[in-house]
Amino acid sequence: MKLLTDRHPLLIVVGSGGVGKTTLAASLGVVSAQQGRDTLVMTFDPSLRLKDALGVGAEAKERAVRVETSTRGRLDASLLDARGTFDKLVERYAPDDEARDRILGNRFYRHLAGNLAGILEYMAVEKLFEVAQKGEYRQVILDTPPTRQALDFLEAPQRIVSFLDSGALKIALKSWFDDEGRLKATSKLGFLGRRFERFLDDIVGLDLLRDMAEFFQAFGPLFDGFRERAQKVQKLLHSKQTLFVLVSGPGEERIPDTLFFARRLQEGGFPLGPVVVNRFHPMEAVPAGDPDAAAGGDPCTVDGRRLLSWLAERDREGLEQLAGLLAGRPLAALPLLPREPTSLPALEAMGRELLDRLG
Amino acid sequence: MSTDLLERLASRKLLVVTGKGGVGKTSVTAVLGRLLATSRRRVLVFEVDPRENLHQMLGIPPSGGEVTEAGRGLFLQNLKPRQVLDSIVRERLKLEALARRVLESPVYRHFSEGAPGLKEVGILGHALRLLRGIGRRGKPMDLVILDAPATGHGVSLLTAPRLLSEVIEKGPFGDMGRELSEFVSDPGQVAVVVVTGAEEMPVDEALELRQSLRERFGREPELLVVNGLYPPYPAEGESPQEDEGMRLWRRRRRLNEKELARLVASWDGPRVELPKLPMDRGPELVNALVTCFRAQLQERTA
């Protein structure tokens, strides 16, 4: 299958942590630019050497940075900064400076280290939408957050919309407290209300509730713009322009993870493209000689020949099983390389290899 | 120093096993559990993940959220942070109907998703309950080993109680935040074990983790475990002619050595190196790693 064509101007690379998503996203970016297409790679947390290879530093959080290459198309890279994006969104949609400052200065907002209704994950998608709308690039490649539940971010737009539509928000948007600082809703309820108020105060403390209520009220004027945008983002993720590339580690133990991801994507109606098994131990790279000759004795000093031959066999079996379970879905495997690809030529070679193997 | 290492680890109440995703935190958690559990020391390995993995390493069926025995002195539990928070609300609200209404209300749901540090506090709070014995008949654990979630740094798990107690001043959550904040800042009770692979990204992350532990807690990890090392390459003259496979071995080993050197250059604390072994995930692998772990301790004492 063809991966880099104008049919899918958005590629989204997903998979569990530590499987090499970022490197793969970068390598596809280099090849895409080499093919003469203006390309943007958006990434979360690249390694130092990959950052060096792409030549991006902290300024890539602010804007896309040009990568120094001789590719025919332009290659830009940017780093995703969820907090910064959120702040900017607040600035954009706040009706006036006072409303903006009220939100940015709110204690609840500042401590929003947890993830209210997936809002921070949503910011990644939001950023993607912004780029897609500008239409500056022919190819955008998004690397996704390195979490076990990396797919949460896909559901983020849906969750934001349902949160905005839910009763929770309507309650939150009411002014909760009267002039004396008592909960309004409960002061009408007499004894029962006081009991509920005491319970709330006991459980979370009224101060926190006050902060939260203030946050939602301050956020109120932003919601319409926000909601509309979340719906558009959701549409974009499901559209034909988008294609998901699912990256997996090698070996049988990774298969459940990969199937889990594939199923979630399909059930969610997201356009799933190829599955890429990364860094498998190739049969061609099993050293010659009888591996079993070196077996036995101390379990902690294994002969490398025996280890590599075992790993190659394990990865071959895993790949075979996965191919069977994925039933005809495009699948490509990339071998573990003697060196990690961290230079532009090495990235390009990796990207080309992937396209070749996909046929 | 090394014979004492196990004793020092065993003298703690909570070990937080942390590191980047995919480096083998779960294996190391299981190895530490096997090493530290005895007939006189009850050790519980605690996993917070929607999908269970630890049971497989210990060779028992999934725990399904219950405390399950996995051998002499060793117990296992897998929980979701939500379950912990919900049980606190239930304890507070004696009326089941009222508790249900609160738990099902969207306000509570969004609040417990969004309140800063609440989930982390739930995890630590549960560990503390295990150490005290849950319910009237629950026998207390002597040590809890937490396979910390891969998301975020292990440090955010440890700073969460302080954050929570600042945001929520009163009530059970606030009290819990304060109590746990004291608990985690006591190096005599809580120790951090950092797991890493000898490759660039995991090493970067391990070094960052150590830096923020220093800055925010003024302390060091108790142990560094470097996992999944390719075996040493034969010395020159001893190696057969180099084919593609030998080259992969040599380069991968060299990468391990280089990254290990970078790590060691700025890390002089206790360290254990574990090999990549030709074995599937499971109790056999855990037992082999336990042997390698012990062998290294003896080597250093000798």
Side-chain angles (χ1 to χ4, degrees):
Chain A
M1 80 165 289
K2 295 262 181 287
L3 198 55
L4 293 171
T5 63
D6 288 333
R7 280 182 57 209
H8 304 294
L10 292 182
L11 287 182
I12 303 183
V13 183
V14 293
S16 341
V19 295
K21 284 189 293 292
T22 309
T23 308
L24 207 77
S27 73
L28 286 172
V30 178
V31 174
S32 165
Q34 193 63 267
Q35 292 174 352
R37 313 156 78 233
D38 286 352
T39 302
L40 173 71
V41 176
M42 299 165 73
T43 174
F44 267 84
D45 190 18
S47 72
L48 273 178
R49 259 187 291 163
L50 190 60
K51 268 192 237 172
D52 285 350
L54 296 175
V56 296
E59 81 280 7
K61 278 188 180 175
E62 296 295 320
R63 56 192 169 78
V65 175
R66 180 73 57 92
V67 179
E68 292 288 332
T69 57
S70 51
T71 49
R72 287 196 289 135
R74 172 157 66 116
L75 178 61
D76 285 1
S78 70
L79 296 174
L80 287 165
D81 168 19
R83 212 341 123 42
T85 312
F86 200 172
D87 286 352
K88 268 189 220 141
L89 213 64
V90 170
E91 278 168 28
R92 183 182 317 141
Y93 285 115
D96 52 55
D97 291 357
E98 200 203 323
R100 181 197 64 207
D101 293 345
R102 257 179 78 199
I103 298 175
L104 295 181
N106 180 280
R107 197 161 62 140
F108 182 73
Y109 178 77
R110 278 190 285 115
H111 280 308
L112 205 70
N115 203 347
L116 184 78
I119 220 159
L120 291 183
E121 282 142 353
Y122 171 71
M123 289 305 136
V125 191
E126 162 69 33
K127 189 89 184 180
L128 178 74
F129 181 72
E130 193 189 302
V131 170
Q133 217 179 24
K134 274 196 194 155
E136 223 183 299
Y137 300 96
R138 259 172 81 191
Q139 184 73 62
V140 176
I141 302 170
L142 174 74
D143 167 35
T144 53
T147 58
R148 186 82 190 257
Q149 276 86 34
L151 292 182
D152 281 3
F153 92 102
L154 294 178
E155 286 160 13
Q158 175 57 45
R159 268 159 72 193
I160 297 272
V161 171
S162 87
F163 177 64
L164 297 181
D165 289 342
S166 77
L169 187 68
K170 292 196 190 88
I171 296 168
L173 277 177
K174 276 186 196 152
S175 84
W176 280 32
F177 297 91
D178 61 22
D179 295 339
E180 288 154 40
R182 296 189 65 83
L183 270 175
K184 261 190 187 168
T186 57
S187 59
K188 285 186 209 134
L189 292 173
F191 169 72
L192 211 73
R194 280 198 296 283
R195 210 181 131 186
F196 187 62
E197 185 172 314
R198 207 165 49 236
F199 161 73
L200 281 175
D201 197 17
D202 269 5
I203 291 282
V204 296
L206 286 180
D207 284 343
L208 176 70
L209 283 183
R210 221 169 260 131
D211 280 346
M212 279 176 79
E214 206 188 271
F215 168 75
F216 287 121
Q217 276 162 26
F219 219 82
L222 279 66
F223 276 132
D224 283 340
F226 210 78
R227 186 174 181 285
E228 200 184 312
R229 212 163 152 98
Q231 277 171 334
K232 283 189 187 155
V233 169
Q234 205 185 334
K235 232 170 152 179
L236 176 70
L237 286 179
H238 286 88
S239 79
K240 281 188 186 143
Q241 295 175 47
T242 308
L243 193 68
F244 286 78
V245 178
L246 173 54
V247 188
S248 163
E252 274 170 87
E253 60 205 47
R254 298 292 197 144
I255 292 178
D257 263 3
T258 309
L259 291 176
F260 175 77
F261 272 115
R263 203 175 310 125
R264 288 256 320 254
L265 283 168
Q266 283 172 304
E267 281 169 4
F270 296 102
L272 173 61
V275 176
V276 180
V277 174
N278 198 17
R279 307 177 88 211
F280 77 96
H281 291 80
M283 276 297 173
E284 305 85 66
V286 171
D290 178 11
D292 288 329
D298 179 8
C300 305
T301 46
V302 184
D303 186 279
R305 280 160 286 200
R306 187 163 159 255
L307 179 67
L308 285 176
S309 126
W310 185 86
L311 288 168
E313 184 56 34
R314 179 201 69 172
D315 292 354
R316 189 189 61 77
E317 272 172 27
L319 205 60
E320 221 164 67
Q321 269 189 38
L322 191 62
L325 290 164
L326 285 173
R329 179 162 298 287
L331 175 74
L334 287 176
L336 178 72
L337 299 170
R339 287 174 200 270
E340 287 300 300
T342 43
S343 66
L344 288 172
L347 287 171
E348 191 190 331
M350 182 184 188
R352 291 206 182 278
E353 171 99 29
L354 174 59
L355 294 185
D356 279 356
R357 292 197 182 220
L358 279 172
Chain B
M1 65 131 208
S2 30
T3 35
D4 308 332
L5 177 66
L6 285 184
E7 276 164 44
R8 268 209 316 278
L9 290 173
S11 72
R12 298 324 211 294
K13 293 273 129 201
L14 174 68
L15 302 180
V16 179
V17 182
T18 177
K20 188 177 157 58
V23 296
K25 275 191 302 290
T26 303
S27 320
V28 172
T29 304
V31 168
L32 287 171
R34 282 271 178 251
L35 274 166
L36 297 171
T38 66
S39 52
R40 285 165 45 200
R41 190 186 302 122
R42 292 158 56 85
V43 175
L44 182 133
V45 285
F46 182 22
E47 177 180 47
V48 189
D49 200 305
R51 278 174 302 153
E52 296 198 31
N53 286 303
L54 250 173
H55 69 277
Q56 193 195 352
M57 305 297 295
L58 297 171
I60 57 169
S63 79
E66 299 299 317
V67 174
T68 311
E69 196 162 353
R72 193 184 58 178
L74 187 59
F75 300 84
L76 161 69
Q77 188 173 29
N78 172 294
L79 274 188
K80 301 175 185 69
R82 276 220 74 86
Q83 294 174 311
V84 183
L85 292 178
D86 292 356
S87 76
I88 295 172
V89 171
R90 253 196 213 98
E91 262 175 35
R92 267 315 276 195
L93 289 174
K94 301 279 168 350
L95 253 88
E96 183 58 27
L98 190 54
R100 221 177 19 241
R101 281 191 61 179
V102 170
L103 292 176
E104 281 166 10
S105 80
V107 178
Y108 170 77
R109 240 182 35 234
H110 286 295
F111 165 75
S112 58
E113 289 282 320
L118 199 56
K119 274 185 197 168
E120 290 84 353
V121 167
I123 296 171
L124 292 168
H126 185 73
L128 202 58
R129 286 166 78 202
L130 287 165
L131 290 163
R132 288 175 179 163
I134 296 177
R136 243 175 247 157
R137 278 179 304 166
K139 251 176 105 182
M141 294 295 157
D142 297 303
L143 174 67
V144 172
I145 307 176
L146 172 65
D147 183 1
T151 42
H153 280 314
V155 176
S156 64
L157 183 81
L158 296 178
T159 49
R162 199 158 55 194
L163 177 62
L164 188 75
S165 66
E166 276 165 19
V167 178
I168 307 181
E169 282 148 25
K170 300 189 263 186
F173 287 132
D175 291 345
M176 205 161 101
R178 250 186 315 283
E179 186 182 17
L180 287 168
S181 170
E182 273 169 40
F183 176 58
V184 294
S185 24
D186 179 359
Q189 298 205 73
V190 179
V192 178
V193 175
V194 177
V195 186
T196 184
E199 289 184 20
E200 192 194 358
M201 288 287 279
V203 167
D204 282 349
E205 206 155 300
L207 289 172
E208 265 168 40
L209 181 64
R210 178 192 192 222
Q211 189 58 30
S212 39
L213 260 183
R214 269 188 181 167
E215 280 164 12
R216 294 161 85 170
F217 282 90
R219 59 198 272 198
E220 295 285 326
E222 188 65 51
L223 172 66
L224 170 67
V225 180
V226 187
N227 193 30
L229 293 171
Y230 285 86
Y233 193 74
E236 225 170 305
E238 286 172 38
S239 59
Q241 191 158 23
E242 191 173 273
D243 54 17
E244 207 178 321
M246 291 301 280
R247 191 165 140 255
L248 183 64
W249 178 9
R250 180 168 57 80
R251 284 271 170 76
R252 281 283 142 188
R253 175 65 192 183
R254 196 198 279 163
L255 176 69
N256 280 169
E257 281 167 3
K258 199 176 122 205
E259 291 299 328
L260 198 58
R262 185 160 73 95
L263 196 56
V264 172
S266 59
W267 196 316
D268 49 9
R271 181 182 80 245
V272 168
E273 293 163 20
L274 296 176
K276 204 187 265 301
L277 294 176
M279 284 177 204
D280 285 318
R281 270 153 65 122
E284 197 198 342
L285 174 64
V286 170
N287 289 339
L289 290 175
V290 163
T291 312
C292 306
F293 197 112
R294 277 191 203 284
Q296 264 187 61
L297 294 185
Q298 273 159 13
E299 217 169 89
R300 286 200 207 141
T301 329

